[in-house]
Amino acid sequence: MSSLGICDEECLATVRAQELRAGQKEPRLLSLIERGGEFVLGVLATPDVVVAHPVAQLSIPINGNFEVVREAKEALLINFSVDSRVRLRIKGDKSPELLLELQDDDRTQTFLTQVKSAQQQAQSRHTTQKAMEPITPTALRGPVPIPPQRANKTANSVGSGGNPPKSASALPLNLNNSMSSNQTNRDPAQSLVSDFGFEDNFNHALKVEEKKNHQNRIVASREPPPVPPLPPRKASYTPSNPLPPPPVPKDRALSLQAKDGSKPDSYRSGFDRVDRQMSWSDSPTSNSMRQAMFSSQASQREYLIKHRLGKKESEYVDIQTFKIFTGTWNVNGQSPDSTLEPWLCCDAEPPDMYALGFQELDLSTEAFFYMDSSKEQLWVEAVERSLHPKAKYKRIRIIRLVGMMLVVFVKKTLKSHIKEIAAEHVGTGIMGKMGNKGGVAVRFVFHNTSFCIVNSHLAAHVEDFERRNQDYKDICARMTFHLLDYPPLSIVKHDVVIWLGDLNYRLFMYDASEVKHLIAKSELKKLQEIDQLNIQRQTKRAFTDFMEGDINFIPTYKYDPKTDRWDSSGKCRVPAWCDRILWRGNNVKQLKYRSHMELQTSDHKPVSSLFSIGVKVVNEERHKKVFEEIVRAMDRMENDFLPSVSLSRREFTFENVKFRQLQKERFQITNDGQVPCHFAFIPKLNDSQYCKAWLRAEPSDGFLEPNETLEIYLEVYVSKDSVTLLNSGEDAIEDILVLHLDRGKDYFITISGNYLPSCFGTSLETLCRMKKPIREIPITKLIDLGEDSFMEKEKSKVSFLMDGAGTEDKPLKIPKEVWILVNHLFTKSCDQEDLFQTPGLQEELQSIIDCLDTSIPDSVSGCNHSVAEALLIFLEALPEPVVCYELYQRCLDCAHDSRLCKQLISQLPRAHRNVFRYLMAFLKELLKHSHNNNLTASLIATLFASLLIRPPPNMVGRQTPNDRQKTIDFVLGFLMAGDEE
């Protein structure tokens, strides 16, 4: 890790920022530093400890390769958040791309103006410096075989050698052009607006063929189906305090965005990330570090020393116990109406730490859609007023997703021993994005023990225990923490995990009076035998590795609010232990597990658990001794041996790959040499990622001790981000992975297979020309249909008033797949409660997709929620939305005038026009049943506008909340129009 304080330098300016990693914001401090006439941008990961002279953990030279681009804002499927912050992507030589969010104020503008000025000076020296630059030595490597049908690169990148920005509207900071005299004197703020790509009149035209698959790569993504977590790997070892990746190749830090700049849905819900913002195939190894991989062995040695120190941790740590108070409460959208001391101060002695989770903090529409809540501060203040009076506490982190909030406090005297704090959230609502259900988590290291606290709110309703299991697996798979210079960390890669929340598991007994009778007789053990969570744990379907203490308190759900009476409403809910606290890890002892009946604010009662946890504390003297022993041993070994590994397989075939259906293969890598070695999958020459978007290796890098064996999984998953190219034959299941061994050779792994086309990700025009299921049509015919459908679309633009002669080749009015899905919902789901608000079951979704790809069924199997989500997935996967890109701006302009809106729809290509009108008629029918399905025109318009009216790729980064509202108004106008229209 390079220091900025080793030579004569001056810190010219600093500004605070937040780095966006996995949808979570991590604090950073940016510093503009002049060093010997050269400028660098320093990035500090822990700004809270900075006093006067920051020492950057990442140093980015400000030179000809330094770029700043405006970045599209990551969002949930529906997101209208309005704030005064700007997002910038920064990249440069030998550094990871950073996505940063800064306060849009005078300090930020001044800082960016200074950065701009520094780059102007660097540019002015560029010509003379270029002749003096040393030539970077090229690694001595043989040619890398390239698969024959490698897909073309996205043409949207800015600069070279790095990941392209999310939006084609992102403009690089161009300081090469000379300024005219009138430009020289322009206002600095106005200058920033222009240089960072904020001007409103920017409009970059794309070729038609480039448009085809761009939008799927740029829009906020939906999460794919969850899959079980990986089994334990043989001989694998996860240090209790995870070590950073090798510090030498600074640019090996994880790229946070997809190869094409989007946040693909792809694999995240399977094994890794709502919002994790990285590609399914993202690697810790980026293309720009290929040459650095072969240099600076001292840094590799430094990391290897840390790795071996981690394995010998038991020789230099002592175990000290600390008390941690954990609590959970579903507050049912209420505001605090009494002190929380009966809950938080129920023990005589103060705990060392508090971790408190809330659910249903805010049930308002504003909280659901706008992600903002006034009640957050009310509850935080109520908590702070009620913490134990015998100690002083410091809040170390808070995170909220809609109604779920997690806040962690620690004694002020222990705050200095807390480090590496990160937070993350995962939404598991409809399409895997909505935050009405899901989880939030905070992770940190206390002394030398890593902790992860998870607060979750799982699916409701007695019968939906399988959906709760699915939510649990989804959170486990997608909850991934990213720290600067650290590998991604999942929930299970922590020494201690505490999972709390409204898990919503009920009883397999549906007679409320019988349950209440058993409770009155204190026969709680009998009820716990039919507790859904206990049964799911026993049958290893959820929370398999977690422990829970004995429950000696009566069920905490459901009560009449403000009372201790069981639910007396018409629904008369069966009492259940919905609110739970579980844990996993060593040296954890539960001292107390209880409910707090005194608090009557909500229809749930709060629950708490007091833990005594053994924490690893470093003994510095023994640590120094172990360190010196490792260094001496490495000195002896490095002089005599080079690393070597053997692979159990090098060729893999994935047969019959389908849309959204995961396939896995695995192989073993064994260190058959005499020294520890580090391996990593690295990009091929001119590639930015180590593999294609539909492929992933897990783990993608790691360390092996001599004779140690590790299992590596290869997973293929076709998401909406890669389905269109595969459907059209422009891409194929073919790739070559390069497994690089530090100080050793490269190993090549061949991936091949066949892909089965899907109607999902196929254009509306093409589907309208298909009278048969897509699987019955040869791929060559599919390509021809795609070309013909483009001509059909162009032709229909000018003949939208003409019916045309009826022939056998006349296209269908709407795709049969749309009709099948909508007809099912129209005939069977109009009165379905919470339609389009409850996620479907992943197994049923896969079955529905397969059914539409292989047959023309009279009806589809699966629950109404699964069919509804299948329709949303279909619309989201379209390569061009129902309202075509070229009409997007006109759509915004005419949103206020229903006559103009109808005129615009009449000018859509035939297939798009018919689908839009068909969907509007269906949605209007749904609203007639709103008293049963709980749908509102606003909710439907918000959901469907984000799918039907998407901005073209070159405008995504500039879409404002006002623009999004106009698309909603556009749809709302059709929903509210009379039937005669």
Side-chain angles (χ1 to χ4, degrees):
M1 197 174 291
S2 62
S3 169
L4 294 176
I6 58 175
C7 56
D8 186 24
E9 63 182 33
E10 180 181 0
C11 183
L12 304 178
T14 62
V15 67
R16 287 184 178 270
Q18 291 180 310
E19 183 178 1
L20 275 72
R21 288 174 170 259
Q24 181 56 41
K25 300 174 183 178
E26 300 295 338
R28 301 287 183 256
L29 185 75
L30 306 183
S31 305
L32 177 62
I33 298 171
E34 183 178 10
R35 180 194 301 154
E38 303 291 336
F39 296 98
V40 296
L41 182 69
V43 182
L44 185 69
T46 52
D48 291 339
V49 303
V50 177
V51 181
H53 300 289
V55 177
Q57 293 173 298
L58 185 63
S59 176
I60 307 175
I62 298 179
N63 53 26
N65 295 324
F66 177 82
E67 294 183 39
V68 178
V69 294
R70 185 193 179 189
E71 182 56 42
K73 195 169 183 180
E74 299 281 4
L76 292 176
L77 182 66
I78 296 176
N79 182 5
F80 306 132
S81 58
V82 181
D83 57 27
S84 58
R85 305 180 75 85
V86 293
R87 291 186 181 180
L88 302 175
R89 180 186 292 277
I90 297 177
K91 61 180 179 178
D93 288 340
K94 297 183 179 180
S95 68
E97 289 187 10
L98 302 177
L99 181 58
L100 299 168
E101 187 174 82
L102 294 83
Q103 192 71 32
D104 189 9
D105 54 18
D106 291 341
R107 182 184 180 93
T108 295
Q109 291 188 357
T110 301
F111 180 83
L112 294 176
T113 302
Q114 291 176 286
V115 171
K116 170 188 167 185
S117 176
Q119 192 177 20
Q120 285 177 319
Q121 294 183 47
Q123 291 286 355
S124 67
R125 296 194 299 266
H126 179 69
T127 304
T128 55
Q129 287 179 344
K130 190 171 183 179
M132 302 176 63
E133 288 175 356
I135 299 176
T136 304
T138 303
L140 298 177
R141 301 177 58 188
V144 178
I146 303 298
Q149 297 186 28
R150 185 74 177 186
N152 292 333
K153 292 286 173 203
T154 302
N156 248 4
S157 63
V158 179
S160 60
N163 292 342
K166 286 171 63 69
S167 170
S169 68
L171 296 179
L173 176 60
N174 187 352
L175 302 173
N176 295 325
N177 298 333
S178 60
M179 289 186 173
S180 60
S181 58
N182 61 336
Q183 289 174 317
T184 306
N185 297 323
R186 62 182 174 168
D187 180 67
Q190 182 63 36
S191 172
L192 280 175
V193 166
S194 174
D195 290 327
F196 287 94
F198 286 77
E199 53 269 44
D200 291 334
N201 60 355
F202 174 68
N203 184 19
H204 174 64
L206 289 171
K207 299 180 203 174
V208 173
E209 58 268 24
E210 287 177 336
K211 285 185 184 179
K212 184 172 184 181
N213 202 40
H214 275 52
Q215 183 60 21
N216 277 341
R217 298 174 175 177
I218 295 174
V219 294
S221 65
R222 170 194 48 71
E223 304 310 326
V227 289
L230 291 172
R233 303 189 192 96
K234 296 178 181 177
S236 63
Y237 172 79
T238 303
S240 57
N241 186 4
L243 297 169
V248 177
K250 293 298 294 182
D251 36 344
R252 280 200 53 204
L254 268 173
S255 164
L256 295 184
Q257 302 298 327
K259 174 176 174 180
D260 45 56
S262 74
K263 183 177 76 172
D265 66 0
S266 49
Y267 179 66
R268 285 213 33 229
S269 148
F271 289 84
D272 72 346
R273 116 223 236 287
V274 101
D275 290 28
R276 168 178 163 205
Q277 320 311 328
M278 57 183 294
S279 165
W280 197 61
S281 60
D282 263 355
S283 168
T285 316
S286 63
N287 186 53
S288 56
M289 54 70 65
R290 292 175 61 88
Q291 293 175 339
M293 292 276 292
F294 301 94
S295 63
S296 190
Q297 293 302 320
S299 297
Q300 291 287 349
R301 170 188 171 92
E302 177 186 350
Y303 179 71
L304 185 54
I305 290 173
K306 292 181 180 179
H307 173 74
R308 306 202 80 176
L309 271 171
K311 300 198 74 170
K312 291 179 172 289
E313 184 182 57
S314 60
E315 298 180 22
Y316 59 83
V317 298
D318 297 315
I319 303 298
Q320 295 183 19
T321 58
F322 295 87
K323 290 183 178 180
I324 297 183
F325 181 101
T326 61
T328 177
W329 194 9
N330 181 322
V331 296
N332 192 34
Q334 303 299 310
S335 298
D337 58 3
S338 63
T339 178
L340 304 183
E341 290 182 2
W343 179 31
L344 305 181
C345 296
C346 56
D347 297 307
E349 295 302 317
D352 297 297
M353 192 180 301
Y354 281 96
L356 305 174
F358 293 86
Q359 307 84 40
E360 295 190 3
L361 197 74
D362 194 333
L363 299 178
S364 67
T365 302
E366 289 74 20
F368 185 74
F369 285 137
Y370 292 84
M371 303 298 292
D372 194 18
S373 173
S374 60
K375 293 185 178 179
E376 174 181 327
Q377 191 60 30
L378 290 176
W379 279 102
V380 170
E381 291 173 355
V383 167
E384 290 177 342
R385 289 193 300 266
S386 302
L387 295 178
H388 208 292
K390 292 185 179 180
K392 299 294 183 181
Y393 293 92
K394 176 75 173 177
R395 189 173 76 198
I396 64 171
R397 200 58 189 264
I398 183 173
I399 182 173
R400 183 178 63 83
L401 175 63
V402 188
M404 291 170 286
M405 182 174 75
L406 177 62
V407 57
V408 180
F409 297 88
V410 68
K411 281 183 177 177
K412 285 187 175 181
T413 55
L414 300 174
K415 174 67 169 61
S416 60
H417 300 294
I418 301 283
K419 57 188 176 182
E420 297 168 23
I421 306 169
E424 173 64 288
H425 67 258
V426 167
T428 61
I430 186 75
M431 298 181 74
K433 296 291 292 183
M434 295 298 194
N436 54 323
K437 293 293 187 290
V440 293
V442 173
R443 67 89 54 192
F444 54 89
V445 174
F446 180 38
H447 283 287
N448 227 46
T449 296
S450 58
F451 285 79
C452 180
I453 315 292
V454 183
N455 170 30
S456 68
H457 191 190
L458 307 186
H461 305 302
V462 176
E463 68 279 4
D464 281 342
F465 61 91
E466 289 183 358
R467 190 171 275 114
R468 288 187 274 280
N469 295 346
Q470 177 176 296
D471 286 350
Y472 161 75
K473 294 173 184 176
D474 209 5
I475 294 169
C476 284
R478 292 166 45 202
M479 191 77 79
T480 308
F481 302 94
H482 298 269
L483 292 89
L484 192 65
D485 282 342
Y486 275 67
L489 296 170
S490 65
I491 291 174
V492 297
K493 291 184 178 179
H494 292 82
D495 294 325
V496 176
V497 180
I498 299 175
W499 194 308
L500 52 87
D502 180 1
L503 306 187
N504 249 325
Y505 286 98
R506 311 299 176 88
L507 300 176
F508 282 122
M509 183 178 289
Y510 309 115
D511 187 334
S513 60
E514 184 179 355
V515 171
K516 294 173 185 177
H517 177 69
L518 290 172
I519 293 172
K521 295 172 60 179
S522 298
E523 295 188 18
L524 301 184
K525 295 297 182 184
K526 186 173 182 179
L527 288 176
Q528 288 166 22
E529 292 174 0
I530 54 173
D531 176 81
Q532 290 180 348
L533 178 56
N534 289 342
I535 293 173
Q536 302 312 301
R537 289 175 56 218
Q538 292 163 8
T539 55
K540 301 189 182 302
R541 294 178 181 176
F543 293 95
T544 303
D545 299 326
F546 283 83
M547 300 178 66
E548 184 181 23
D550 293 335
I551 298 178
N552 296 313
F553 50 89
I554 65 175
T556 55
Y557 172 87
K558 176 179 182 178
Y559 295 85
D560 289 336
K562 315 296 184 183
T563 75
D564 290 331
R565 295 192 307 270
W566 297 115
D567 177 30
S568 60
S569 68
K571 293 184 178 180
C572 193
R573 301 289 192 188
V574 178
W577 287 282
C578 292
D579 311 283
R580 312 286 273 268
I581 301 175
L582 300 91
W583 78 91
R584 57 174 285 169
N586 296 323
N587 301 313
V588 180
K589 181 180 180 181
Q590 188 180 56
L591 302 178
K592 296 179 181 179
Y593 192 22
R594 59 223 163 167
S595 66
H596 301 268
M597 297 295 293
E598 306 95 318
L599 296 177
Q600 301 178 341
T601 306
S602 170
D603 57 352
H604 289 248
K605 298 298 182 181
V607 171
S608 71
S609 176
L610 183 66
F611 292 102
S612 174
I613 300 179
V615 173
K616 295 174 287 189
V617 179
V618 174
N619 180 296
E620 295 297 339
E621 183 176 341
R622 300 206 309 270
H623 178 272
K624 180 180 179 182
K625 180 180 179 181
V626 173
F627 175 83
E628 292 172 348
E629 291 174 353
I630 291 173
V631 170
R632 285 194 295 268
M634 289 185 60
D635 286 341
R636 292 192 299 269
M637 296 172 66
E638 286 179 348
N639 292 330
D640 301 325
F641 302 105
L642 289 176
S644 172
V645 299
S646 61
L647 309 181
S648 61
R649 292 178 62 187
R650 299 197 191 188
E651 296 184 358
F652 296 87
T653 301
F654 293 86
E655 296 182 350
N656 299 328
V657 175
K658 299 177 183 179
F659 175 59
R660 286 175 53 95
Q661 294 196 20
L662 178 72
Q663 288 195 32
K664 295 188 298 181
E665 293 283 352
R666 62 184 179 181
F667 67 94
Q668 292 184 335
I669 176 172
T670 301
N671 183 348
D672 55 10
Q674 303 299 311
V675 292
C677 65
H678 173 255
F679 69 88
F681 289 97
I682 62 173
K684 295 175 282 294
L685 293 173
N686 302 319
D687 283 356
S688 61
Q689 303 298 332
Y690 72 85
C691 64
K692 291 185 178 180
W694 41 261
L695 179 63
R696 173 177 173 171
E698 170 62 30
S700 59
D701 74 332
F703 267 94
L704 289 171
E705 294 289 339
N707 300 316
E708 184 179 4
T709 296
L710 183 68
E711 282 190 334
I712 295 181
Y713 288 78
L714 300 177
E715 294 118 7
V716 169
Y717 183 88
V718 177
S719 71
K720 67 180 180 64
D721 305 292
S722 49
V723 63
T724 298
L725 290 177
L726 288 165
N727 281 342
S728 65
E730 296 177 62
D731 193 7
I733 305 297
E734 293 181 353
D735 204 356
I736 292 177
L737 301 181
V738 182
L739 182 66
H740 173 70
L741 202 61
D742 290 344
R743 298 194 308 126
K745 65 178 184 178
D746 289 349
Y747 300 81
F748 301 105
I749 298 171
T750 302
I751 308 296
S752 61
N754 68 297
Y755 171 73
L756 300 179
S758 176
C759 59
F760 287 72
T762 301
S763 70
L764 293 176
E765 290 83 9
T766 301
L767 291 174
C768 282
R769 298 178 67 86
M770 292 183 188
K771 307 296 178 63
K772 298 179 180 179
I774 192 169
R775 296 274 175 81
E776 296 183 12
I777 301 175
I779 184 63
T780 53
K781 180 65 175 174
L782 282 177
I783 296 172
D784 292 340
L785 282 174
E787 295 172 353
D788 292 344
S789 63
F790 172 73
M791 297 304 299
E792 171 71 23
K793 174 183 169 185
E794 295 298 309
K795 194 186 306 179
S796 68
K797 289 179 183 177
V798 297
S799 61
F800 56 87
L801 296 177
M802 301 169 57
D803 289 333
T807 68
E808 188 176 339
D809 293 333
K810 184 178 180 180
L812 300 170
K813 290 185 178 181
I814 63 172
K816 57 188 178 301
E817 294 81 6
V818 174
W819 182 86
I820 291 169
L821 293 172
V822 172
N823 185 63
H824 175 102
L825 295 172
F826 176 73
T827 57
K828 301 181 179 180
S829 309
C830 285
D831 293 311
Q832 175 66 57
E833 184 180 359
D834 295 334
L835 191 67
F836 290 117
Q837 300 171 74
T838 300
L841 292 170
Q842 298 302 336
E843 297 81 2
E844 292 182 356
L845 279 169
Q846 292 179 356
S847 174
I848 292 169
I849 293 171
D850 211 41
C851 176
L852 294 176
D853 287 339
T854 58
S855 64
I856 307 178
D858 294 329
S859 63
V860 290
S861 61
C863 70
N864 294 332
H865 296 303
S866 296
V867 178
E869 185 167 2
L871 176 62
L872 299 180
I873 293 170
F874 177 91
L875 295 173
E876 188 189 33
L878 287 173
E880 179 144 1
V882 175
V883 176
C884 301
Y885 291 139
E886 54 263 39
L887 294 178
Y888 173 76
Q889 188 58 50
R890 284 185 56 196
C891 172
L892 301 184
D893 296 339
C894 71
H896 65 285
D897 190 323
S898 60
R899 181 182 58 85
L900 294 177
C901 291
K902 287 188 289 184
Q903 189 179 67
L904 181 145
I905 293 302
S906 70
Q907 296 173 10
L908 287 173
R910 182 181 293 106
H912 292 249
R913 179 172 71 249
N914 291 340
V915 168
F916 184 89
R917 289 173 172 170
Y918 185 58
L919 288 173
M920 289 302 107
F922 162 63
L923 295 176
K924 287 170 68 174
E925 187 64 28
L926 279 184
L927 288 174
K928 295 177 182 178
H929 300 258
S930 60
H931 57 287
N932 291 327
N933 57 34
N934 296 331
L935 287 172
T936 65
S938 176
L939 191 152
I940 289 180
T942 303
L943 177 58
F944 278 85
S946 65
L947 302 172
L948 302 178
I949 312 173
R950 304 195 301 250
N954 62 310
M955 295 182 66
V956 172
R958 298 171 55 250
Q959 188 187 32
T960 65
N962 187 44
D963 291 340
R964 287 192 289 270
Q965 186 59 51
K966 287 180 179 179
T967 65
I968 295 167
D969 293 342
F970 185 97
V971 174
L972 200 57
F974 286 91
L975 295 178
M976 303 305 291
D979 289 338
E980 68 279 1
E981 299 184 27

